[in-house]
Amino acid sequence: MTGAAAQTASSQLPASPADRRGSTGRTVVTGLGIVAPNGLGVRAYWDAVLNGRSGIGPLRRFTGDSRLGRLAGEATGFVPEDHLPKRLLAQTDLMTQYALVAADWALREARCSPSSPLDAGVITASASGGFDFGQRELQNLWSKGPAHVSAYMSFAWFYAVNTGQIAIRHDLRGPVGVVVTEQAGGLDALAHARRKVRGGAELIVTGAVDSSLCPYGMAAQVKSGRLSGSDDPAAGYLPFDRRAAGHVPGEGGAILTVEDAERAAARGVAVYGEIAGYGASFDPPPGSGRPSTLARAVETALADAGLDASDVAVVFADGAAVPGLDAAEAEALASVFGPRRVPVTVPKTLTGRLYSGAGPLDVATALLALRDEVVPATAHVDPDPDLPLDVVAGRPRPLADGRAALVVARGYGGFNSALVVRGTA
């Protein structure tokens, strides 16, 4: 299901109370749930980011053909049995278990009780679905026969399953959807959630979590030609560095609760910040000779937020760690902000690229950065002086003037998304 198809499907549902009441106010984030290779929960993750603790290491989820990768960002501290009942463990992939727990944490923080189940919904993104579950059941089919395939195979592999399982667990019957635009999808999901809040929804649980560190999933990622072949955790993922040679895959992401600012204020709940602007574009096909349209997505997001480039205090870049893609992103950012005029960071160097989970995790990180007035560093990187970017490397840097941050995500296949968030001050 594409992003457009997901939105069409959700629009064909019976009109809920949320869809019948309009709102043109601000959309704010009231809860964060984070599952990342370098930290579980907001506090542990943010502490790891500020202190440069990496979650990247040798791939341990499975052993075998080294062509499927040597390094990964694995959420090794996550024990599903500590968080979820056994009945859910039997029917869910690890990806969904991460998403369910992150949603639990976000909703607990938001302290929200919608007026009706029809007033709250779930919109997530996915890049692959539950590949680990799917691989296991396919192996059962081949080796043991159909009688040994779990009945839960019918949905546990599906890229919409996180939306469905979160909605069922919390009885959220309002607007639902899933967006599939690879790494850009997480930002697209947040933007669609903002659209539903503006349409009257009291609360949307949104974001993305991915996990595809199994032979089946890794084989699909290797096909892109963008995976790092390094076995050194400190040198495997080096965006905007002359040594850049691909990315390290990771798992995890972030689930957020978003709601109307006036409603959040009336409830007296703490707010992390506002989803202020969004833009998206699609690149021309490789070999066409036409440039990337990423700058257009960024400019659209700024215009949607009612901001100028000078209002942005920090950019959380996509950071593909592929020389051509890094150069295109650097050129796009320089064209909007001017060469080296805004600090740029890629905290993903501590986690690996989390695919659809990367954008929401970067948004969470950006909100925390605005709150604490600090720009986290890009670990291990020696910035290429030929690129027109001010990459924050080595240590975190105090945040300069400006109360907004830009998050950029680019998906395999030409998807570009940009999201602007504002802090609370």
Side-chain angles (χ1 to χ4, degrees), residues 46 366-375 397-400 402-403 425:
W46 185 229
L367 291 169
L368 295 169
L370 291 171
R371 182 194 69 182
D372 293 350
E373 299 184 345
V374 62
V375 180
R397 183 188 300 178
L399 194 70
R403 293 302 304 170

Side-chain angles (χ1 to χ4, degrees), residues 25-331:
R26 298 180 299 118
T27 301
V28 295
V29 177
T30 54
L32 294 179
I34 292 175
V35 174
N38 60 341
L40 304 179
V42 173
R43 181 177 297 180
Y45 167 74
W46 185 229
D47 184 69
V49 169
L50 293 180
N51 288 285
R53 288 197 299 274
S54 176
I56 294 175
L59 176 60
R60 294 188 173 90
R61 187 66 50 78
F62 67 92
T63 58
D65 194 333
S66 62
R67 290 176 297 178
L68 296 182
R70 296 180 174 87
L71 298 173
E74 297 176 83
T76 55
F78 184 88
V79 180
E81 294 81 1
D82 291 347
H83 306 283
L84 297 169
K86 289 184 178 179
R87 63 174 180 80
L88 274 177
L89 300 183
Q91 60 182 270
T92 52
D93 182 82
L94 183 60
M95 167 200 72
T96 302
Q97 294 164 15
Y98 290 156
L100 286 168
V101 172
D104 287 352
W105 291 341
L107 283 163
R108 186 181 307 150
E109 204 172 46
R111 296 187 285 110
C112 183
S113 298
S115 305
S116 161
L118 294 175
D119 285 317
V122 185
I123 297 169
T124 68
S126 178
S128 58
F131 270 19
D132 193 25
F133 193 107
Q135 174 174 314
R136 183 179 69 243
E137 298 308 318
L138 287 174
Q139 287 175 324
N140 287 340
L141 174 65
W142 298 333
S143 62
K144 300 176 183 178
H148 296 273
V149 176
S150 169
Y152 299 120
M153 176 63 175
S154 61
F155 59 80
W157 67 272
F158 192 43
Y159 38 79
V161 67
N162 289 352
T163 288
Q165 288 284 16
I166 293 170
I168 292 168
R169 181 167 170 81
H170 295 283
D171 193 27
L172 307 176
R173 307 182 195 179
V176 296
V178 61
V179 184
V180 184
T181 49
E182 215 256 348
Q183 181 144 304
L187 298 187
D188 297 336
L190 293 177
H192 189 28
R194 181 180 71 146
R195 188 177 302 119
K196 289 299 181 181
V197 169
R198 287 180 164 184
E202 289 188 11
L203 177 83
I204 299 291
V205 178
T206 185
V209 173
D210 255 321
S211 177
S212 195
L213 301 180
C214 62
Y216 183 21
M218 291 296 292
Q221 295 173 54
V222 167
K223 181 68 174 177
S224 73
R226 297 181 181 179
L227 287 190
S228 170
S230 176
D231 57 6
D232 180 359
Y237 182 24
L238 301 171
F240 306 120
D241 190 307
R242 285 178 172 170
R243 299 167 292 164
H247 69 263
V248 172
E251 62 180 357
I255 299 294
L256 295 72
T257 56
V258 298
E259 54 187 296
D260 181 76
E262 291 185 5
R263 182 174 184 276
R267 295 197 302 110
V269 67
V271 169
Y272 281 101
E274 176 192 358
I275 298 177
Y278 165 73
S281 65
F282 195 77
D283 280 344
S288 67
R290 289 179 286 160
S292 168
T293 60
L294 175 60
R296 188 171 71 207
V298 172
E299 290 167 347
T300 301
L302 289 172
D304 185 34
L307 298 176
D308 296 323
S310 60
D311 296 315
V312 174
V314 58
V315 173
F316 287 74
D318 177 71
V322 175
L325 294 173
D326 283 355
E329 184 173 14
E331 181 180 348

